Amino acid sequence: MDRVSALDESLKKTLGPATAKVMAEQLDLHTVGDLLHHYPRRYEERGQLTRLADLPLDEDVTVVAQVADSRVLKFNGGRGQRLEITLTDGSGRLQLVFFGRGIHKPHKDLLPGSRGMFAGKVSMFNRKLQLAHPTYVPLGTDSGDEAVDSFAGKLIPIYPACKGLESWKITKAVDAVLPRAGEAVDPLPPSLREGRGFVPLPEALLKVHRPDTKADVAEARDRLKWDEAFVLQVALARRRHADAQLPAVARKPVAGGLLDAFDAKLPFTLTDGQLTVTREIFDDLATEHPMHRLLQGEVGSGKTMVALRAMLSVVDAGGQAAMLAPTEVLAQQHHRSITEMMGELSEGGMLGGAEKATKVVLLTGSMGAAGRRHALLDLVTGEAGIVIGTHALIEDKVRFHDLGLVVVDEQHRFGVEQRDALRSKGKQPPHLLVMTATPIPRTVAMTVFGDLETSVLDQLPAGRSPIATHVVPAQDKPHFLARAWERVREEVGKGHQAYVVCPRIGDGEDEPKKKAAAKAAEADGDKRPPLAVLDIAKQLTAGPLTGLRVEVLHGRMQPDDKDDVMRRFAAGEVDVLVATTVIEVGVNVPNATAMVIMDADRFGVSQLHQLRGRVGRGSAPGLCLLVSEMPEASPARARLGAVASTLDGFELSRIDLEQRREGDVLGQAQSGVRSSLRMLAVIEDEDVIAAAREEAVTVVAQDPELDAFPELRTALDALLDTEREQYLDKG
């Protein structure tokens, strides 16, 4: 058996089918290598008892404690019996309860004065904390001899566990596969490993699972974190290197063309940030390999303007540009705002079109057959220099005359395959500009979008107004909610408009969806399902907003109806728009100054920041009210407080990452990128990621195919699952 296949061996063979099944289904562990990379999340010291005073109710816990007393009690007229054992650790007491025939073994094992490790769900009975029928492992008694002292000083690994597989069962499983750690292939080039003073990989695996001291744990963690960061950064560096070898048509700016004519029409001055980013993009477009750039910009920082100028310069250079938007509402919005900004420059080939004009066409899935035929014809003949569309742009029928630039808006909404399908429509790979209004901390950008160069727009255009954000505690202070609706009326009274955002559509939603929402609500300890657009709109028109022009907007409406509502809202014919998150990105109505977000605690931090960016886009100040029924001390309210306290999206994205499981945030940004990050924390390990990136760039520059580093190649293949490979290949 060769060195790699030892770790690729199925756990069924080593641990048996029953345990392997639970590991596969609940922990996503399938091979010996997977289990060796399932690291303990913390370590208990046998001699140091866990604080029983801090046990959380209704949670699965693992405690190390001492038996204070043990007694068997009869009940049911002597027919039933139960064993009650009291544990102590000096800080608190915990009762263990065993019933029926299950009492004999623990009665024998758990004598007063003995120690054990116990796991179960904490409940309350007769005002005492208890574990009913916990699983346990005796840890020996305090006999005071040397053997027991060294035993007590050992670190006990506590593994991320699941129902049916407690931490110590995982400990036993790891013991079974740990001898294979010696066969782990070390991905680090020896010079790098020695230069940075890392222990070899087999030693790191032994030390992380069975440490003798805390220093062992630190040494192992340093090494394993580095591996994760380095292997991923090598993959990304190879991707960037391969992209740099691809041919592309250089699209150099042309003087006196469409871009100059457009700039001459602009009624405002571009910000310094917009000019800097534009220079970076134009430099990339002028090279003979494809641009791969991520444009991060705060909500309302003018990304669309930067993207439009890039598209116009490509049209000047003889190419076509395509903008891919995640929703029809957003595609229509972009099409409308771009044609308005360009004026007669967007009417190429039409009566009244300017001399330098081009056609700007819209292509979405719901267009009529005739409109669609015209759009497709304009693309294939090159008549249309700019096309804006949804996934409809990706279909096989769509052909371009000469696709030079692809702009992807709101990157995290698109799968890799979709991005790739559009790029494959160029004769040579087109240049790629990816835009996101979800600010991403530098380390996350390096980890998730490491194959893209990054530009940041953090300056808001002149004339943008501040947005005041307040939390409205509807449950504690109902009069605050009444005041919120008064504020909406006041804004409308001043000639402005408002949004009301709800998490759900309502009426006619599929029963399973409704049940799922109610079930999720119950799991949150909240008996009611999320508030719905259709219900809230009815309540508002019959109650606090009676007499105002209230309309609804949601994803299940027909595209023409959605567009009609958005047009009338933009034209000022609607006072209040009650909507789902379809308005989250790209919707630009400068006259809208107020937003009320119902059940705000049900949205993520970044999503709330996105939504808030829809107001304050004109000269009047914006107001965002976050309505929540969650109690003041809850984590959900703390999250809303954070959103209310700052308008800095980068700061909020850090808070978001710190408060939520990192995987959620990374998973949102790009599927498949988190799968093998088990030790690395992208916020805390900024230095590790930056250093690993530098080393990776050096290694790949010297040897792109990694011919001199076969072990690194093997680790790359093992660590990159299929999904991740696709992401890297197509990013």
Side-chain angles (χ1 to χ4, degrees):
M1 183 182 281
D2 66 33
R3 296 198 299 170
V4 186
S5 56
L7 298 197
D8 282 343
E9 191 176 284
S10 165
L11 287 173
K12 263 186 205 158
K13 200 170 165 186
T14 321
L15 306 176
T19 306
K21 186 173 187 247
V22 180
M23 285 199 167
E25 287 174 2
Q26 303 218 26
L27 297 171
D28 197 22
L29 305 176
H30 305 272
T31 64
V32 168
D34 290 344
L35 183 52
L36 285 174
H37 288 292
H38 185 69
Y39 308 127
R41 59 188 166 87
R42 61 189 173 86
Y43 302 85
E44 287 286 2
E45 288 180 69
R46 284 193 171 126
Q48 175 194 27
L49 302 180
T50 313
R51 280 178 58 82
L52 295 181
D54 301 332
L55 289 181
L57 249 184
D58 291 331
E59 281 194 27
D60 287 297
V61 296
T62 301
V63 298
V64 176
Q66 189 164 345
V67 176
D69 61 58
S70 161
R71 58 204 175 126
V72 176
L73 302 168
K74 305 270 189 204
F75 60 92
N76 244 1
R79 286 195 303 277
Q81 52 181 358
R82 77 173 181 271
L83 170 65
E84 285 185 1
I85 292 174
T86 307
L87 301 183
T88 178
D89 69 347
S91 76
R93 295 169 88 76
L94 173 67
Q95 196 163 303
L96 310 182
V97 190
F98 299 87
F99 294 98
R101 290 185 188 153
I103 74 169
H104 304 303
K105 191 170 178 351
H107 194 207
K108 201 170 68 195
D109 290 344
L110 303 172
L111 300 170
S114 66
R115 273 191 185 144
M117 183 153 68
F118 307 87
K121 193 168 196 170
V122 182
S123 57
M124 181 78 82
F125 182 72
N126 280 345
R127 294 170 51 187
K128 285 182 185 168
L129 290 178
Q130 74 166 25
L131 301 182
H133 274 280
T135 36
Y136 66 90
V137 172
L139 297 178
T141 54
D142 268 334
S143 60
D145 66 16
E146 278 178 36
V148 171
D149 282 347
S150 80
F151 180 83
K154 276 267 169 142
L155 294 170
I156 304 167
I158 305 293
Y159 287 92
C162 62
K163 195 176 176 183
L165 212 57
E166 294 87 356
S167 175
W168 49 77
K169 286 189 182 164
I170 296 174
T171 301
K172 279 186 176 168
V174 170
D175 283 338
V177 300
L178 206 49
R180 308 280 183 84
E183 299 172 60
V185 175
D186 197 325
L188 293 193
S191 57
L192 196 160
R193 182 169 63 72
E194 286 152 18
R196 290 190 171 265
F198 289 130
V199 296
L201 180 59
E203 189 182 329
L205 289 169
L206 286 170
K207 283 183 168 174
V208 81
H209 288 293
R210 300 293 172 264
D212 289 324
T213 63
K214 288 179 179 172
D216 282 353
V217 176
E219 213 173 13
R221 287 177 72 89
D222 285 351
R223 167 65 214 256
L224 295 166
K225 271 184 185 186
W226 180 271
D227 277 16
E228 284 178 11
F230 179 69
V231 173
L232 180 54
Q233 292 302 334
V234 166
L236 292 165
R238 288 185 74 203
R239 190 64 250 139
R240 288 194 301 274
H241 184 272
D243 285 339
Q245 313 309 309
L246 289 174
V249 179
R251 311 283 179 176
K252 295 182 175 152
V254 174
L258 194 52
L259 178 62
D260 285 351
F262 174 74
D263 285 349
K265 281 165 48 75
L266 282 181
F268 52 81
T269 316
L270 296 172
T271 65
D272 292 346
Q274 284 174 317
L275 292 170
T276 305
V277 169
T278 300
R279 268 196 301 278
E280 291 171 351
I281 292 170
F282 284 3
D283 288 349
D284 283 358
L285 290 173
T287 61
E288 289 182 354
H289 60 80
M291 164 172 82
H292 289 90
R293 192 165 280 282
L294 172 68
L295 173 55
Q296 293 195 114
E298 273 292 11
V299 177
S301 56
K303 293 182 301 299
T304 309
M305 174 59 71
V306 169
L308 176 55
R309 293 182 73 243
M311 292 196 285
L312 293 175
S313 84
V314 166
V315 174
D316 278 342
Q320 290 168 293
M323 183 185 248
L324 190 57
T327 63
E328 295 219 351
V329 167
L330 189 49
Q332 287 160 339
Q333 173 79 29
H334 275 319
H335 182 253
R336 195 160 46 243
S337 62
I338 283 174
T339 48
E340 278 167 13
M341 282 195 278
M342 286 175 66
E344 71 278 10
L345 295 174
S346 67
E347 294 165 0
M350 294 185 234
L351 211 57
E355 181 199 342
K356 305 240 173 358
T358 187
K359 251 191 199 173
V360 178
V361 302
L362 176 68
L363 188 63
T364 64
S366 64
M367 281 170 77
R372 194 176 170 71
R373 236 185 354 262
H374 276 303
L376 292 174
L377 194 62
D378 286 339
L379 289 185
V380 78
T381 58
E383 191 84 358
I386 295 176
V387 58
I388 295 150
T390 54
H391 302 81
L393 280 178
I394 296 166
E395 290 168 13
D396 290 345
K397 290 180 202 143
V398 180
R399 295 273 177 273
F400 289 86
H401 177 64
D402 181 11
L403 182 60
L405 170 66
V406 174
V407 178
V408 179
D409 193 18
E410 286 311 313
Q411 156 64 22
H412 62 277
R413 306 278 187 103
F414 286 102
V416 168
E417 291 77 8
Q418 295 160 328
R419 208 164 84 176
D420 189 49
L422 187 54
R423 279 178 53 196
S424 68
K425 291 185 178 295
K427 290 168 186 163
Q428 287 191 331
H431 299 280
L432 176 70
L433 179 65
V434 166
M435 301 198 295
T436 178
T438 307
I440 305 164
R442 193 175 75 98
T443 42
V444 182
M446 280 198 299
T447 310
V448 181
F449 298 112
D451 59 333
L452 303 173
E453 298 300 325
T454 306
S455 296
V456 177
L457 267 181
D458 48 12
Q459 215 182 346
L460 290 186
R464 268 303 170 94
S465 307
I467 305 170
T469 309
H470 304 285
V471 179
V472 177
Q475 192 80 16
D476 316 344
K477 300 178 178 168
H479 60 287
F480 275 38
L481 183 58
R483 176 72 188 122
W485 301 126
E486 281 172 23
R487 284 292 290 112
V488 170
R489 290 195 83 99
E490 285 164 17
E491 288 301 308
V492 173
K494 293 177 193 165
H496 297 307
Q497 291 157 281
Y499 297 99
V500 177
V501 181
C502 304
R504 208 163 56 89
I505 298 172
D507 258 18
E509 263 177 313
D510 307 337
E511 271 312 300
K513 265 193 193 169
K514 219 175 210 176
K515 281 181 186 156
K519 207 170 176 187
E522 213 163 308
D524 288 347
D526 179 353
K527 292 294 177 274
R528 75 165 171 75
L531 294 172
V533 166
L534 300 176
D535 304 339
I536 292 292
K538 271 186 212 148
Q539 290 167 23
L540 292 177
T541 44
L545 302 187
T546 183
L548 300 187
R549 297 170 299 177
V550 177
E551 292 273 5
V552 299
L553 180 71
H554 57 75
R556 274 212 323 275
M557 288 164 65
Q558 288 303 313
D560 289 351
D561 297 341
K562 280 194 271 197
D563 201 36
D564 177 55
V565 171
M566 266 324 297
R567 271 181 196 286
R568 289 189 294 114
F569 187 63
E573 293 162 22
V574 174
D575 298 321
V576 179
L577 188 62
V578 184
T580 55
T581 54
V582 290
I583 58 137
E584 181 186 346
V585 286
V587 174
N588 184 27
V589 180
N591 191 45
T593 54
M595 176 177 284
V596 181
I597 303 178
M598 307 303 291
D599 279 346
D601 47 273
R602 295 176 190 262
F603 298 97
V605 169
S606 297
Q607 203 173 21
L608 290 170
H609 183 58
Q610 284 284 318
L611 287 165
R612 167 171 66 182
R614 301 302 109 214
V615 295
R617 299 176 79 88
S619 51
L623 171 70
C624 180
L625 302 174
L626 307 173
V627 180
S628 172
E629 292 184 0
M630 296 304 277
E632 196 166 352
S634 64
R637 276 283 289 279
R639 225 171 48 234
L640 297 182
V643 176
S645 69
T646 178
L647 289 171
D648 181 342
F650 286 93
E651 176 57 29
L652 285 174
S653 72
R654 283 190 87 89
I655 291 168
D656 206 6
L657 267 173
E658 282 158 10
Q659 286 189 347
R660 288 163 60 189
R661 275 185 27 253
E662 236 164 35
D664 297 346
V665 182
L666 294 181
Q668 228 187 13
Q670 174 66 59
S671 67
V673 168
R674 174 66 179 174
S675 50
S676 65
L677 298 189
R678 296 171 192 222
M679 191 66 90
L680 197 67
V682 290
I683 285 287
E684 293 158 30
D685 298 323
E686 191 161 344
D687 299 349
V688 176
I689 293 167
R693 183 177 168 119
E694 270 179 45
E695 293 278 14
V697 168
T698 309
V699 166
V700 172
Q702 289 167 359
D703 182 1
E705 293 305 310
L706 305 180
D707 293 328
F709 308 110
E711 293 84 3
L712 178 54
R713 279 200 74 122
T714 305
L716 215 53
D717 297 340
L719 266 173
L720 300 181
D721 58 23
T722 333
E723 198 177 0
R724 167 81 71 69
E725 253 163 5
Q726 284 177 349
Y727 156 65
L728 293 169
D729 282 346
K730 297 176 181 178

